[in-house]
Amino acid sequence: MTKESKQTSGYPRARISPPSGEAFPYRHILGIEGLDPSEIQYVLDRAMAYADGEKGNARLRGLTQINLFFENSTRTQMSFEIAGKRLGADVVNLATSSSSIKKGETIFDTAMTLNAMRPDILVVRHGDAGAVKLLSEKVDCAVINAGDGQHEHPTQALLDALTIIRRRGRLHGQIVAICGDISHSRVGRSNIRLLSALGARVRVVAPPTLLPRDIDRMGVEVFWHMQDGLKDADVVMMLRLQNERMQGAFVPSTKEYYHFFGLTPEKLTVAKPDVLIMHPGPMNRGVEIATSVADDLDRSAIQEQVGNGVAVRMACLDILTRHLQGSTA
Ligand code: NCD
């Protein structure tokens, strides 16, 4: 996250000033790291209004949003597209599998090409940690990180926080157990930062092979066994095994993994009776979560997470384009 506005020749001053003034003095949303609790709360408050039905008055009419996804996505890409359209933006998706990236063009050349078409906001997902930040330094518009490698996925953490607040009334003091492949998960990293910043009691539950080396510095409680980590939990957040980021075997077999770390009704008996079950998707049923738990009508918030994703992304698009809104009418 960078507080400085970048000077770029040939662009009107309005394009490079902080979009929402003091409340959110950033050009981009690249991660949760570096955000103050009040800045996170500001985004959540806007998202709450959209989740409550605020329409947004076509605030982004006349603005161009490009979604640039170098990695697969269903929920994130679709919800950014729907969010942009609900706010009246012209939304364009670059299908990277059929673009010149396949002809060997670097992401920076692709970014510069898109930049020359003067988008107002770029939403980028990339397989390498740090790639979205580097790209943001090369373009003249706002950039939102839709996931960079195993580094950060800020809008996912924001929608998870919104889901907990809407269901439980607050985040502060809630015991949140994040379980599974913490090591390779950008969702886990962003959530640890955001939930801790807003006063939740964050636990991670994973086999030692799936815990990052620097876990002791993340300010969380660490558990190797589900029955210990889930005890009295208010929220249980399951993560997928990120096989695409693993080099070598991190678990003996998925069957054994499910036995010890898969979320089942039996393992949940030690949590609070009204525990909230969450998963960012895509789910691997029978690996990290049992079907009966995922589909538990009372306790599962998995579909609400998806719905709240649209509200959070509307808030982020709105906040980062404040200085441009109305200028094209
Ligand atoms: C996550 C991601 O891409 O990091 N999915 C998502 O955005 N909803 C989690 C995952 O892929 O397991």
Side-chain angles (χ1 to χ4, degrees):
M1 194 67 52
T2 166
K3 285 202 190 198
E4 300 93 55
S5 299
K6 187 159 68 78
Q7 294 289 340
T8 313
S9 60
Y11 282 86
R13 183 79 188 105
R15 280 187 170 261
I16 51 175
S17 54
S20 289
E22 284 306 302
F24 198 83
Y26 306 101
R27 285 188 66 201
H28 311 297
I29 296 178
L30 300 174
I32 299 298
E33 189 176 20
L35 292 182
D36 295 341
S38 65
E39 293 161 352
I40 296 170
Q41 195 60 55
Y42 177 74
V43 182
L44 288 174
D45 289 346
R46 290 303 305 135
M48 188 67 84
Y50 286 120
D52 282 339
E54 188 180 312
K55 293 277 179 268
N57 291 334
R59 289 163 178 273
L60 268 69
R61 182 176 296 139
L63 302 184
T64 303
Q65 169 189 337
I66 299 182
N67 296 333
L68 179 57
F69 278 63
F70 294 92
E71 265 192 354
N72 295 343
S73 174
T74 304
R75 279 152 282 268
T76 307
Q77 183 168 354
M78 287 301 288
S79 63
F80 265 114
E81 180 168 358
I82 290 169
K85 286 184 169 158
R86 287 205 180 143
L87 291 172
D90 297 314
V91 186
V92 188
N93 293 295
L94 181 73
T96 52
S97 58
S98 56
S99 70
S100 290
I101 294 150
K102 288 283 164 206
K103 299 180 186 169
E105 186 172 81
T106 68
I107 69 157
F108 299 112
D109 286 330
T110 303
M112 292 316 288
T113 302
L114 298 178
N115 191 50
M117 298 180 203
R118 296 209 173 189
D120 299 290
I121 193 147
L122 269 177
V123 178
V124 187
R125 168 172 285 190
H126 195 277
D128 295 334
V132 180
K133 179 174 190 300
L134 282 175
L135 191 145
S136 75
E137 289 161 5
K138 303 247 183 267
V139 298
D140 300 295
C141 64
V143 175
I144 300 179
N145 180 5
D148 63 325
Q150 55 194 52
H151 178 227
E152 282 241 32
H153 191 351
T155 58
Q156 179 69 44
L158 286 159
L159 76 87
D160 290 337
L162 184 68
T163 303
I164 298 171
I165 294 167
R166 286 179 74 79
R167 267 286 195 114
R168 317 275 317 195
R170 68 199 164 94
L171 207 49
H172 198 271
Q174 295 282 297
I175 300 176
V176 184
I178 306 177
C179 312
D181 186 359
I182 312 290
S183 218
H184 301 97
S185 175
R186 53 195 176 208
V187 175
R189 257 179 207 80
S190 290
N191 261 301
I192 288 170
R193 290 183 174 127
L194 190 157
L195 297 171
S196 308
L198 292 195
R201 290 174 54 193
V202 184
R203 300 174 176 173
V204 296
V205 190
T209 50
L210 293 178
L211 285 167
R213 274 180 226 275
D214 57 348
I215 192 70
D216 292 337
R217 280 185 272 133
M218 291 184 177
V220 294
E221 283 183 88
V222 181
F223 296 87
W224 292 356
H225 299 285
M226 292 288 267
Q227 68 266 33
D228 302 330
L230 298 194
K231 189 156 187 331
D232 298 325
D234 295 290
V235 179
V236 177
M237 189 182 289
M238 299 308 297
L239 299 175
R240 184 176 64 88
L241 286 174
Q242 312 268 310
N243 293 310
E244 70 276 25
R245 298 203 186 101
M246 294 182 190
Q247 269 133 22
F250 283 76
V251 294
S253 70
T254 49
K255 197 163 168 234
E256 190 170 330
Y257 181 78
Y258 181 69
H259 177 73
F260 288 108
F261 291 96
L263 190 64
T264 57
E266 299 74 47
K267 292 199 189 85
L268 269 174
T269 54
V270 297
K272 296 249 170 72
D274 59 346
V275 63
L276 202 61
I277 299 153
M278 299 176 66
H279 194 305
M283 278 187 281
N284 284 324
R285 292 167 184 258
V287 180
E288 74 271 6
I289 191 164
T291 284
S292 62
V293 175
D295 299 340
D296 183 321
L297 285 178
D298 293 325
R299 299 187 296 178
S300 170
I302 296 170
Q303 297 309 322
E304 282 159 55
Q305 287 174 268
V306 178
N308 288 333
V310 177
V312 157
R313 283 148 189 153
M314 286 172 82
C316 293
L317 293 168
D318 173 10
I319 288 167
L320 290 185
T321 59
R322 282 285 163 77
H323 56 305
L324 300 172
Q325 292 171 15
S327 60
T328 55

